[in-house]
Amino acid sequence: QVQLVESGGGLVQTGGSLRLSCAASGRTGSGYAMGWFRQAPGKEREFVAVITWTGVVTDTADSVKGRFTISRDNAKNTMYLQMNSLKPEDTAVYYCAADRSFRPPVDPTDWDYWGQGTQVTVSA
């Protein structure tokens, strides 16, 4: 069992920055992958970026490449998403996820554990 709690969301103007955090607890010593996903109103949940247990970023969505950076600090059991140059289309609920796959997938349905999400709103 892994519990995940996101934080750091909020309201920001276009061009601004936010840093999301995802704190993990429970059985965190099992070598799990982690990832960030988001879901905008009326849309399906989509992958943003994923990272292996050892900190290798294996996939980043084209829509955020060059603006968002995923990272993790296993000593703190925490994953981060640094979001820069935010756009209104980035507005969504952002979720962190954990999975026991060696290679983290990009399909949200393949992930085992989910946080409750944190709202990110980017005003025009």
Side-chain angles (χ1 to χ4, degrees), residues 8-12 16-20 81-84 86 119-122:
L11 176 64
V12 65
S17 297
L18 285 173
R19 188 195 193 202
L20 306 184
L81 184 68
Q82 179 65 49
M83 305 185 295
N84 299 324
L86 283 162
Q119 177 70 47
V120 172
T121 302
V122 184

Side-chain angles (χ1 to χ4, degrees), residues 32-34 50-58 70-74:
Y32 57 90
M34 298 186 76
V50 295
I51 188 168
T52 71
W53 169 255
T54 56
V56 178
V57 181
T58 52
I70 187 174
S71 62
R72 67 190 297 169
D73 185 343
N74 288 349

